[in-house]
Amino acid sequence: GLLGDRPSQGRMLVLVSVPATSLAPISQDPPAYGFRMRLGGRSGPRSFQLDSVRQFRVDRAPEPGQMVTFTTELPLEAGTWNVGLALEQQPDSAGDALHDPEVPVPNVAGTRLALSDIVLGDNTGGRAWTAPDGPFPLSSTGSYVRGEPVLLYYEIAGAGEGEIQSEVTFVRDDGK
């Protein structure tokens, strides 16, 4: 989750990336793709549901290794959200599903330090997202070649006045 612009309010950013090899066109000339996305979440007694259809026309069909990507950003009350997403390309598609049992949406209220999720970027052609302080290129894959720079976006609240310094360390899942 990301910080909001008022106390007890935050936001969630969802990036969907579909590889060219998994795309099912709804039109060949010009190439176009359609997606139905159902997104829902619960945090205690609060819940939300979003059911949307997106259609994208492209100049040429994506090649293997390329993706069609899109984002959805929605306001949420601060808290820990249990989120699920289902994505279908056509009515007879089995689609794909994602479930994340803990999406923390930080609260900017009070004097406690609050840190948003870390958003990974890609300066070699990432999906453009308009962050509060300007454009940020989102990483469609979250994977990088060794030695390649990793762009990071995150928000901090409650740190007081003046400049702050932060340091981010990446640790492999296997502990090495």
Side-chain angles (χ1 to χ4, degrees):
L2 300 170
L3 303 178
D5 57 1
R6 61 182 200 269
S8 300
Q9 184 73 37
R11 2 188 263 294
M12 183 174 64
L13 175 66
V14 177
L15 171 67
V16 175
S17 300
V18 181
T21 55
S22 298
L23 290 169
I26 58 173
S27 169
Q28 298 291 340
D29 190 21
Y33 304 93
F35 303 93
R36 178 179 184 197
M37 182 180 75
R38 292 187 311 259
L39 176 65
R42 179 170 300 281
S43 178
R46 302 167 296 182
S47 66
F48 73 88
Q49 289 185 349
L50 174 68
D51 191 344
S52 64
V53 174
R54 307 265 181 103
Q55 293 185 347
F56 301 97
R57 192 186 87 204
V58 294
D59 293 332
R60 63 178 191 262
E63 297 175 14
Q66 294 180 322
M67 299 183 181
V68 169
T69 64
F70 61 93
T71 60
T72 300
E73 187 173 344
L74 63 149
L76 289 177
E77 292 182 44
T80 300
W81 289 84
N82 185 331
V83 177
L85 179 143
L87 184 70
E88 299 172 7
Q89 290 192 65
Q90 48 196 354
D92 62 348
S93 167
D96 204 354
L98 162 90
H99 179 250
D100 193 337
E102 290 190 18
V103 177
V105 176
N107 190 348
V108 298
T111 58
R112 296 183 68 183
L113 186 66
L115 177 68
S116 73
D117 278 340
I118 293 175
V119 179
L120 299 176
D122 181 352
N123 61 3
T124 61
R127 169 75 178 163
W129 169 58
T130 304
D133 60 348
F136 183 79
L138 298 170
S139 172
S140 298
T141 63
S143 62
Y144 300 87
V145 175
R146 184 181 299 259
E148 178 183 359
V150 177
L151 300 179
L152 301 178
Y153 175 87
Y154 55 97
E155 301 166 325
I156 299 173
E161 296 293 321
E163 205 171 296
I164 62 168
Q165 291 184 351
S166 61
E167 183 176 311
V168 177
T169 302
F170 288 99
V171 178
R172 291 171 37 160
D173 283 344
D174 60 6
K176 293 182 181 180

